[in-house]
Amino acid sequence: MRERTPIRHSITVLCCLVAAVVLASGQEKGAVPSSPRDLKFSPLEFQPPRAADYRQVLGNKVVGFFVENHELPLINISITVRTGSYLDPAGKAGLAAAVGSLMRSGGTERYKAEDFDEEADFLAANISSAIGPTEGVASVNFLAKDTDKALELFFDMLRNPAFRQDRIDLYKSQQLQQIERRNDRTDSIESREWNRLLRGEDFFTSILPTKASISSLTREDLLAFHKTYYAPANLILAVSGDFQAADMKARLEKAMAGWNSSGAAVLPVPQPHYKPVPGVYMVNKSDVNQSRVSVGHVGIRRGNPDEFAIDMMNDILGGSGFTSRIMNRVRSDEGLAYSAGSTYVAGIYYEGLFRAYFQSKSSTTAQATQIVLDEIERIRKEKAPSEELETVKNNAIEVFPRFFSTPAAVAGTFAGDEFTGRAPGYWETYRDNVRKVTVDDVLRAAQKYLHPDGLVILVVGNVDDILKADPDKPQYSFDRIAGGKPITRIPLPDPNSMIYPK
């Protein structure tokens, strides 16, 4: 009987698939469509939740979003903190990241680091903390029955980190080892140099920790940074799970009782003032046989009136995976790369970036780069077919519910909007704004917001092999791509000091 089980299972699955096809087609029983293209589905019905239905202000004026879900006895709490590595003092690059990490791993005033870990493990609670470029984050998830103890641990970490010296020493040792290896991987080199080329070497996203800055960090530095920025006035909460909102609100107010704000306002995120210099830039890694390429320029800021048209334009160009032009041309048609695409990010605090990217063999890098440039030109000169636009629009509309797919996603989406100041009504009108985009809008957006003459082209790989290109296809070369202008070679910096050879 066991031998026949897979066969019976296959028959059952097949029957279910046939039934699904019949139902999807909206036809009578037995009238199976002759082609998948004939399948018809009823429109997706989904109404996004409203932030106001979940937003509450605690007694200490902390804003929180509370989304109840009683299906499982679990609770998730995520906190966003107004801080970031942009606040690192001069000569102390890496301080904010150290605070974010060591808040969790460095113990508290009440618990030694190992004792804190043991308490969290006993509760099966996952507690984390980190600080990125423009925000800090901390989270905890736990069983509902352990709410009081879990909140005690979590807020002890947030309020009273001890930054024990032995853990600081371990962290610094680990960071110094990573710094020594920062020139080993082409992806990290590409990310670093892309930032420098687009933002300038003095912007905070380009200033990386060095051996000197990490070595200089002291326990007093960490304590002072934490005291300055970790206070109720700088927090936004996202809470979801098995609780009653009023009860959870009271428990959180109790957990934060007596925690006063420092009173110092957090400085705004700085603006970049660097103007990128278009051209071809290359970083040599002679020990690899594949290159990484980024092509792009400075883009737009969130709230731009053409944001939805730009989104659809980019999806057609390279943002929609296998349906995009760059992926089809570079990978599917020519077989030059495994992954290829583009992003056009609307920045929150300052203009984001347009970036097309791919990886390819050294010998085919020039050809793949030229294809990307050709596709950028094509979308600026020719109207996209209506079918192509409808494909990306339908995809954007159909996947829209993912922003609210779980209670944690609902709370997190609204907390993120609160933190970044997204315009009210964005989600309610999202799909209508997508539907409004026309092929004329896409063409206009491409012509206005894609700048072929302003492209920065970064190539990381074996430069000698890349410049040789494919001898069987001499029409593809970086000399032609550079248009007679010199190709700038960027040397690898000393990994410990980040000083570049002259």
Side-chain angles (χ1 to χ4, degrees), residues 91-109:
K92 296 285 185 179
L95 173 59
V99 171
S101 177
L102 287 161
M103 280 182 64
R104 172 60 183 88
S105 64
T108 69
E109 293 177 5

Side-chain angles (χ1 to χ4, degrees), residues 71 124 164 360 418 487:
E71 292 183 3
R164 298 186 183 275
S360 187
E418 181 88 16
I487 294 172

Side-chain angles (χ1 to χ4, degrees), residues 119-271:
E119 291 287 338
D121 289 344
F122 180 77
L123 296 177
N126 185 11
I127 303 176
S128 65
S129 170
I131 296 179
T134 58
E135 66 182 31
V137 293
S139 64
V140 59
N141 61 71
F142 51 89
L143 292 170
K145 68 180 182 64
D146 298 322
T147 296
D148 289 337
K149 182 61 178 178
L151 290 180
E152 175 195 310
L153 278 176
F154 185 52
F155 281 95
D156 191 31
M157 176 192 77
L158 288 171
R159 298 178 62 171
N160 308 303
F163 300 121
R164 298 186 183 275
Q165 190 62 50
D166 59 334
R167 292 300 178 101
I168 295 175
D169 294 340
L170 175 61
Y171 174 85
K172 290 166 69 172
S173 174
Q174 293 169 338
Q175 292 301 303
L176 292 176
Q177 292 177 37
Q178 292 182 25
I179 284 173
E180 289 180 352
R181 298 193 299 269
R182 65 176 16 144
N183 287 336
D184 291 355
R185 294 175 57 93
T186 55
D187 55 349
S188 61
I189 295 171
E190 180 187 32
S191 175
R192 177 184 75 215
E193 300 306 329
W194 184 248
N195 257 315
R196 293 178 75 247
L197 288 170
L198 274 296
R199 301 302 190 192
E201 62 182 19
D202 296 326
F203 196 57
F204 76 90
T205 58
S206 301
I207 299 175
L208 302 180
T210 63
K211 181 178 180 180
S213 71
I214 292 297
S215 298
S216 74
L217 299 182
T218 66
R219 181 171 180 268
E220 288 69 28
D221 291 331
L222 274 68
L223 287 168
F225 189 98
H226 171 267
K227 182 179 180 181
T228 301
Y229 301 111
Y230 277 76
N234 295 332
L235 309 181
I236 293 176
L237 309 181
V239 191
S240 61
D242 188 16
F243 56 80
Q244 299 296 326
D247 177 65
M248 178 56 70
K249 178 182 175 183
R251 291 173 187 249
L252 288 167
E253 289 175 335
K254 180 180 179 182
M256 288 186 277
W259 189 13
N260 299 317
S261 297
S262 63
V266 179
L267 294 174
V269 177
Q271 304 291 304

Side-chain angles (χ1 to χ4, degrees), residues 4 26 52 56 78 144 185 230 273 288 304 349 430 457 466 482:
R4 302 172 113 183
Q56 298 197 41
S78 180
R185 294 175 57 93
Y230 277 76
H273 300 291
V288 299
N304 184 296
Y349 304 105
Y430 178 91
I457 301 173
I466 291 167

Side-chain angles (χ1 to χ4, degrees), residues 61 127-128 158 166 244 284 329 347 352 359 391 421 447 472:
K61 298 184 179 180
I127 303 176
S128 65
L158 288 171
D166 59 334
Q244 299 296 326
N284 186 46
R329 287 287 315 282
Q359 287 180 262
T391 295
Q447 292 173 343
D472 295 329

